[in-house]
Amino acid sequence: MSLRRPRKAVLMVALVVTLALLCCGGSVTLLLWNGLRNDSGDRFINASLACGKGGALDPDTALPEISPYDTGQIRNAAIIINVGADMSLPPRAWVIAVATAMQESNLNNLGHLGERNDHDSQGLFQQRPSSGWGSPKQVRDPIYASTKFYAKLKTVRGWEKMALTRAAQAVQISAYPDAYAKHEPVATQIVNLLANGAANAVGDSVTPQCAVSGAIAASGWTIPLKGPVGSGFRTASRPSHQGVDISVDKYRPIYAVASGTVSVVKCDEDFRGRKSCNVDGYPGKGGCGWMVEIVHAGNVMTRYCHLVQQPFVRRNQQVVAGEQIGRVGSSGNSSGPHLHFEVHLGNDRSSTGAVDPVQFMQGQGAPLGNEG
């Protein structure tokens, strides 16, 4: 592979500060930065988070330095993505690499920091010349450093389906192996804006397609199961409904929507304080029946209710996206077989933290509502 500067495909884009799902209304707010110049001096903004879609706009303004990342840091992210594309690695690898550099260097190409250095670590990925990553000059070259990171990632068996923190740790061998996960949500949004929605994609091609089939998106998210969305989030008829109902046959497998840690596994009590989850429930009984909660990167919690039997996972268990956690049932406050699915921001288990799962999952490239 030739070591060249970022191509137009990466630099004719813009940035997102954050994808904020507002708790009360469930609406989506995008804060866009001005675009980087391409080789012709043009400037563009990607106006969409769709998979490979979005228009090219010319705001004709200078690229500002906006916290938390300045133009140099974002250019480094663009180089990381571009190298991954040149190596024909899928967008999931780009998300892993950007998140890793966010943790290791805050997307800064660091030189030797003297007493503040971690041994002789340098560059975007804090690679150590003494450990065989290359010379100090080489590891400070963002293209070289990115190439070495991806080359090592390719040797990690099964990295494509690993939790981001496990994949990054397998490459970096960090003293803080759990530190990478917190960067996954923002890294996903950076890749989306720098690569035209690529983080909301599936497959092993650099020309992504949306995750409509239930496969795991490059963002690391997938759907809990295929099926039509029935009762929606906080509808007029059910204003206190904090999730959505996906109506499918009993015993259909339910999958974790992203890697994370199981925080709750229980038979939820009904309105009378009874724990009677091994039988079908009924409207007005109360309770979630057999239920599971999982905490994911970014402190996002997902909740799965009305399982037919005791879930297949246990509290504190680490799960990966697409891992089966149980089967559809009708236990608890239920009128028939379905999965009640919730998403909560900030691991806030109350109604305050709940957001519309349809909008949230769409933003992860794993849209709900596919027919089963």
Side-chain angles (χ1 to χ4, degrees):
M1 186 195 79
S2 61
L3 300 182
R4 60 180 184 271
R5 297 297 108 184
R7 303 170 311 200
K8 293 181 182 180
V10 171
L11 293 183
M12 57 186 297
V13 292
L15 303 174
V16 66
V17 176
T18 183
L19 175 61
L21 290 168
L22 303 181
C23 296
C24 296
S27 60
V28 178
T29 298
L30 294 178
L31 301 178
L32 295 175
W33 291 1
N34 295 315
L36 297 171
R37 288 189 183 275
N38 65 17
D39 296 339
S40 301
D42 300 322
R43 202 187 309 270
F44 301 86
I45 276 185
N46 183 327
S48 173
L49 283 181
C51 300
K53 301 178 181 178
L57 308 176
D58 184 5
D60 196 28
T61 55
L63 183 65
E65 295 184 0
I66 301 177
S67 178
Y69 301 112
D70 61 26
T71 56
Q73 291 167 298
I74 294 306
R75 184 176 178 84
N76 287 332
I79 292 171
I80 292 169
I81 294 166
N82 195 52
V83 170
D86 279 348
M87 295 177 69
S88 297
L89 285 164
R92 178 60 177 166
W94 313 347
V95 174
I96 294 170
V98 170
T100 301
M102 290 169 70
Q103 170 60 30
E104 296 292 352
S105 68
N106 201 31
L107 292 175
N108 289 302
N109 190 23
L110 299 175
H112 198 284
L113 303 177
E115 293 182 356
R116 293 180 294 154
N117 247 59
D118 178 15
H119 302 284
D120 57 339
S121 302
Q122 298 182 49
L124 286 175
F125 296 93
Q126 289 294 278
Q127 293 158 335
R128 296 179 60 189
S130 63
S131 296
W133 285 96
S135 69
K137 181 179 180 180
Q138 286 175 320
V139 299
R140 290 195 303 269
D141 180 336
I143 292 178
Y144 175 92
S146 300
T147 302
K148 293 292 285 187
F149 178 87
Y150 286 124
K152 180 68 178 294
L153 180 67
K154 288 170 65 175
T155 69
V156 178
R157 185 175 181 180
W159 69 265
E160 301 92 337
K161 296 183 179 180
M162 284 183 182
L164 183 146
T165 194
R166 283 190 58 207
Q169 172 63 5
V171 176
Q172 298 293 106
I173 318 297
S174 169
Y176 306 97
D178 299 324
Y180 303 105
K182 64 179 178 285
H183 299 289
E184 186 168 15
V186 177
T188 295
Q189 299 309 320
I190 288 175
V191 169
N192 267 330
L193 269 294
L194 287 177
N196 212 15
N200 288 351
V202 298
D204 55 6
S205 169
V206 294
T207 304
Q209 296 182 352
C210 288
V212 296
S213 64
I216 298 171
S219 64
W221 288 73
T222 188
I223 57 175
L225 77 172
K226 295 180 183 179
V229 175
S231 183
F233 178 76
R234 294 178 182 166
T235 61
S237 60
R238 301 182 70 186
S240 61
H241 194 229
Q242 308 303 337
V244 296
D245 293 341
I246 303 174
S247 299
V248 294
D249 295 334
K250 190 182 286 189
Y251 298 109
R252 286 278 297 278
I254 301 169
Y255 304 103
V257 293
S259 299
T261 303
V262 177
S263 55
V264 172
V265 176
K266 70 175 183 178
C267 172
D268 198 28
E269 295 180 350
D270 63 19
F271 287 147
R272 298 183 179 181
R274 299 173 301 184
K275 292 186 176 182
S276 53
C277 294
N278 291 324
V279 295
D280 287 348
Y282 51 84
K285 181 179 182 181
C288 250
W290 282 117
M291 63 176 290
V292 175
E293 292 178 1
I294 302 173
V295 179
H296 311 280
N299 223 17
V300 176
M301 184 269 282
T302 54
R303 178 180 291 158
Y304 314 75
C305 295
H306 308 310
L307 279 63
V308 71
Q309 64 196 100
Q310 184 171 341
F312 301 155
V313 291
R314 64 186 183 279
R315 188 172 179 270
N316 295 324
Q317 179 178 334
Q318 301 293 312
V319 295
V320 298
E323 181 173 342
Q324 186 175 353
I325 61 174
R327 293 186 180 276
V328 171
S330 189
S331 58
N333 194 76
S334 173
S335 59
H338 71 283
L339 171 66
H340 174 82
F341 176 65
E342 299 182 13
V343 176
H344 292 248
L345 302 185
N347 195 19
D348 183 346
R349 302 179 71 246
S350 71
S351 60
T352 303
V355 296
D356 187 345
V358 171
Q359 292 188 12
F360 180 86
M361 295 298 287
Q362 181 73 37
Q364 311 311 310
L368 301 175
N370 297 320
E371 295 295 330

